[in-house]
Amino acid sequence: STPRVPIMPPSRQPCAATRVPRGPLSLLLALSLLSPWGSAGGSCPPRCVCASNLLSCSQANLSAVPAPLPRFAAVLDLSHNNVTRLRADWAPARLPHLHALLLSHNGLAFVSTEAFTHVPRLRHLDLSSNRLRALEENLFSDLGELEVLLLYNNEIATVDRTAFENLGRLRKLYLGQNRIARFPLELLREGTRLPQLALLDLSANRLRAVPAGELQALPAWLRDRLYLHNNPLACDCLLFQLLDRGRRRHLSAVEDFQDELRCFLPGATALVRILDLAGRLPLNCSRAQEAVLEAHLGDSVTLGCDSRWQGVRGRHWVTPGGERVLGDGGNGSVVLLANGSLQLRALRPEDAGTYSCWVAGPLLNETIYVELLVHNFTLHGPHDTLNTAYTTLVGCILSVVLVLIYLYLTPCRCCCCRGGEKPPAPRDDSINSSVLSATPNHAGAAREPCGSHVASGAGTGQNGRFKGGGTPPPPARQGPKAQRKVSDPDSVSSVFSDTPIVV
């Protein structure tokens, strides 16, 4: 007989969907369902190790980037392989989540300018220890969110200033151990191309000169991470003063590499320590003061608190008189700005002195000293004084010259100057002259004063009469005859009526 199989009621029959498989195979199946590298997220490339969103293909003897790459990979490590060329198609699809790409130790010699088009979210890019020779134009311009760029230990000799275009978030740039003879340091000076750069490593290159004056103008938090050691720099006093200030401020780039900061003296073959140039021939460099600011009376100046700590909020100033400035001070003449600078308005002589800025840093406190010199005149005072003195001097010289001309070069008015001159002879064709002319009295004329001869000689007209430039004084006569009456020279009748006729 056929045995009967008991049939369980439907309410007590187990459901297949609720069965949990047991054993190693079931565990791997469950992990594959949970892992992003399962069927829903793609497969892990061969020779690589995948863990969550991390993809490690290091030391896998790869000559090209493996494909396909899962689109949600966040970290891709391709270091220690043989990927010598990074073309534009190494990532054919967009990888929106990739934020770290490691390509060190690959013998990489070529990187396409379009190699980073599909990875715009990169924040960390490691191209160190390769064979790159140049940084071409706009090489990293697609990486607007890049923060760390490692290019050390390559063969880079030329750097195009547009290679770092659009890197507004770059914080650390490592270019040490290359062959760079000139780096476009104007990228730092402008402050708009790399506004957040806080570390620049140019050590162990071929730099022979750096603009020390421009570097001194950089903020201290950037100079604290500007590495220039192991370069064949030419010795210069400005360079010495730049590094000497850094040593006194305990900047890491100077304090940690004092022995490696060396330079060439003119005519010497061996390198010398830059910080030993103080008082050393032939340069005989002198130590520079920390910060000195010059101003004039009535000016408004701003004293910067140049701290080596970036983004510090807690700081205050102490005036030369010992007063602590936390906000507006005095009658609004001293103002603490939002960026930590101290503004002084309408300077007075008593505002001169040494101001100190106290900064509370994340590791330790720092004090910055700024010396203010206030000149005891306005900004245009020296020029006005010079102009006034020059005008006064010229006026005095002109006065002396005019006096000398008046004394020695004026026409002589004495009677001896014109003693040899003869009065003009009377014209024969004049009736008036024959009637009016009188026989000159030589005896009397010899006793006449000199002034009468000058007046009559200078003012006689064609008929011998005096012109209307003024009436000459009457000559004084001695003897029995009375003095003649002066007549009107313009009237003939008056001449006949007033002048006696000598028979």
Side-chain angles (χ1 to χ4, degrees):
S1 64
T2 304
R4 296 181 179 181
V5 179
I7 301 175
M8 298 179 65
S11 59
R12 302 179 63 180
Q13 187 176 1
C15 180
T18 59
R19 294 177 183 176
V20 179
R22 298 179 181 180
L25 183 61
S26 62
L27 180 60
L28 289 177
L29 179 60
L31 290 176
S32 64
L33 294 175
L34 297 176
S35 173
W37 305 103
S39 58
S43 60
C44 185
R47 304 183 188 177
C48 297
V49 177
C50 302
S52 183
N53 58 355
L54 307 180
L55 177 59
S56 176
C57 304
S58 179
Q59 298 181 356
N61 197 23
L62 298 174
S63 59
V65 179
L69 293 174
R71 61 180 306 271
F72 49 80
V75 178
L76 177 57
D77 185 3
L78 295 170
S79 61
H80 297 276
N81 282 289
N82 297 316
V83 182
T84 59
R85 302 177 68 86
L86 190 65
R87 300 180 182 274
D89 57 351
W90 72 272
R94 187 179 179 87
L95 301 176
H97 302 284
L98 189 66
H99 62 79
L101 177 60
L102 311 179
L103 282 165
S104 61
H105 298 277
N106 268 280
L108 192 63
F110 171 78
V111 177
S112 173
T113 55
E114 299 178 355
F116 307 106
T117 304
H118 292 158
V119 286
R121 298 295 180 87
L122 271 185
R123 297 196 303 269
H124 184 99
L125 177 59
D126 186 1
L127 297 174
S128 62
S129 300
N130 283 293
R131 296 179 180 176
L132 298 175
R133 296 185 177 181
L135 299 182
E136 302 293 341
E137 181 180 359
N138 296 319
L139 181 59
F140 306 107
S141 59
D142 293 327
L143 302 177
E145 298 185 9
L146 191 64
E147 298 179 1
V148 180
L149 178 57
L150 291 85
L151 291 165
Y152 62 87
N153 194 24
N154 273 276
E155 301 174 5
I156 300 174
T158 58
V159 178
D160 192 280
R161 62 176 299 170
T162 62
F164 308 104
E165 199 76 25
N166 299 329
L167 298 186
R169 297 186 180 181
L170 188 64
R171 296 175 48 251
K172 299 179 181 182
L173 177 57
Y174 296 88
L175 284 166
Q177 300 182 30
N178 278 284
R179 302 175 182 177
I180 302 173
R182 184 192 178 277
F183 179 81
L185 290 172
E186 57 268 19
L187 300 179
L188 308 180
R189 181 183 67 244
E190 295 173 1
T192 56
R193 297 180 181 270
L194 301 173
Q196 297 188 18
L197 189 65
L199 186 150
L200 176 58
D201 181 14
L202 293 173
S203 61
N205 275 279
R206 298 180 180 179
L207 297 175
R208 294 187 176 273
V210 292
E214 297 181 5
L215 296 181
Q216 179 60 38
L218 296 176
W221 53 262
L222 180 54
R223 285 184 282 121
D224 188 40
R225 295 292 188 271
L226 178 59
Y227 298 97
L228 297 171
H229 56 278
N230 289 331
N231 276 285
L233 298 170
C235 293
D236 182 74
C237 285
L238 291 179
L239 178 62
F240 161 73
Q241 293 173 356
L242 170 69
L243 299 180
D244 186 53
R245 290 191 184 99
R247 178 176 58 181
R248 289 185 306 201
R249 292 284 301 274
H250 303 288
L251 301 184
S252 300
V254 179
E255 194 173 40
D256 297 341
F257 299 94
Q258 297 187 37
D259 294 334
E260 289 81 7
L261 286 167
R262 295 178 175 269
C263 64
F264 280 106
L265 278 171
T269 57
L271 291 171
V272 298
R273 292 178 74 248
I274 299 178
L275 295 175
D276 292 341
L277 293 178
R280 180 171 180 173
L281 296 176
L283 296 181
N284 195 18
C285 299
S286 59
R287 300 184 183 276
Q289 297 182 359
E290 177 60 29
V292 179
L293 184 63
E294 297 186 13
H296 303 81
L297 291 178
D299 289 351
S300 295
V301 297
T302 301
L303 310 182
C305 189
D306 189 20
S307 173
R308 58 186 170 131
W309 307 117
Q310 188 178 8
V312 174
R313 296 294 181 182
R315 67 184 82 193
H316 67 273
W317 285 85
V318 177
T319 64
E323 299 180 4
R324 183 172 178 176
V325 181
L326 298 176
D328 293 348
N331 48 8
S333 60
V334 181
V335 180
L336 182 62
L337 303 180
N339 61 356
S341 301
L342 186 68
Q343 187 179 63
L344 304 176
R345 304 170 182 172
L347 288 179
R348 302 165 298 173
E350 54 268 24
D351 291 332
T354 302
Y355 293 78
S356 56
C357 179
W358 297 75
V359 181
L363 300 178
L364 49 87
N365 296 337
E366 185 182 14
T367 306
I368 298 98
Y369 298 96
V370 180
E371 183 178 357
L372 177 62
L373 303 178
V374 180
H375 297 291
N376 197 18
F377 47 80
T378 59
L379 180 59
H380 302 289
H383 306 286
D384 296 341
T385 304
L386 179 61
N387 292 335
T388 304
Y390 179 75
T391 305
T392 305
L393 178 61
V394 172
C396 293
I397 293 176
L398 289 178
S399 300
V400 173
V401 171
L402 291 177
V403 170
L404 294 177
I405 292 175
Y406 178 78
L407 291 177
Y408 295 100
L409 300 181
T410 306
C412 182
R413 295 182 178 274
C414 60
C415 57
C416 60
C417 298
R418 300 194 179 189
E421 294 183 2
K422 295 182 179 180
R427 298 181 60 178
D428 296 336
D429 57 350
S430 176
I431 301 177
N432 294 332
S433 64
S434 62
V435 175
L436 297 177
S437 298
T439 304
N441 190 348
H442 298 283
R447 292 190 297 268
E448 290 182 357
C450 179
S452 61
H453 288 282
V454 175
S456 61
T460 53
Q462 63 178 4
N463 58 358
R465 292 185 300 162
F466 188 79
K467 292 296 181 182
T471 304
R477 292 184 176 272
Q478 297 179 0
K481 295 185 179 181
Q483 182 178 357
R484 290 195 300 172
K485 189 176 181 181
V486 179
S487 60
D488 187 1
D490 294 330
S491 175
V492 177
S493 59
S494 63
V495 172
F496 277 98
S497 60
D498 296 338
T499 306
I501 300 176
V502 181
V503 182

